[in-house]
Amino acid sequence: QEAAEVAAALSAKANSRSATIFDKIVNKDIPADIVYEDEDSLAFRDVNPQAPTHILVIPKVKGNLDKLSNAEVGDQSILGALLYTA
C-alpha cells in the first residue's frame, strides 16, 4: 500500500501544473493516511517520514499560502488554526 501511495504521489506531482500534491490529498484524489481533519485543516502521515512520528498539517483552502512567505495579515486565522492543530 505504501508503494502505491508513493507512486500516486509522484504521478500526481508529475501530471499537474496548477494542482499540487497537497491539493490532491485534500480533494481525496490520491490516498493518504489521514489522522485528523476539520473544516480548515488536514493532518496526515508522511509517506517518507524523517522521524518516528512525522505528520503533515496543511490548510484545506490554501488561498495565497502556497508558501509561508506569501502569508499576509488576513491569513492569521488559518495559520493560527494550523498551529493549534499541530
Side-chain angles (χ1 to χ4, degrees):
Q1 180 184 3
E2 185 175 318
E5 290 176 359
V6 171
L10 292 173
S11 175
K13 186 176 181 182
N15 292 331
S16 175
R17 293 230 186 259
S18 58
T20 68
I21 190 169
F22 299 115
D23 297 328
K24 292 183 180 209
I25 290 171
V26 167
N27 293 329
K28 311 289 195 299
D29 294 333
I30 60 174
D33 184 3
I34 297 171
V35 296
Y36 179 82
E37 183 173 9
D38 64 20
E39 64 183 40
D40 297 320
S41 61
L42 183 77
F44 57 96
R45 296 187 190 284
D46 195 320
V47 295
N48 187 21
Q50 302 299 307
T53 302
H54 190 166
I55 297 173
L56 302 168
V57 181
I58 61 172
K60 287 180 130 180
V61 177
K62 70 179 179 184
N64 67 330
L65 288 176
D66 57 339
K67 56 185 175 179
L68 189 55
S69 63
N70 288 342
E72 298 175 352
V73 172
D75 297 317
Q76 288 179 7
S77 178
I78 188 61
L79 292 172
L82 293 171
L83 184 60
Y84 183 77
T85 298

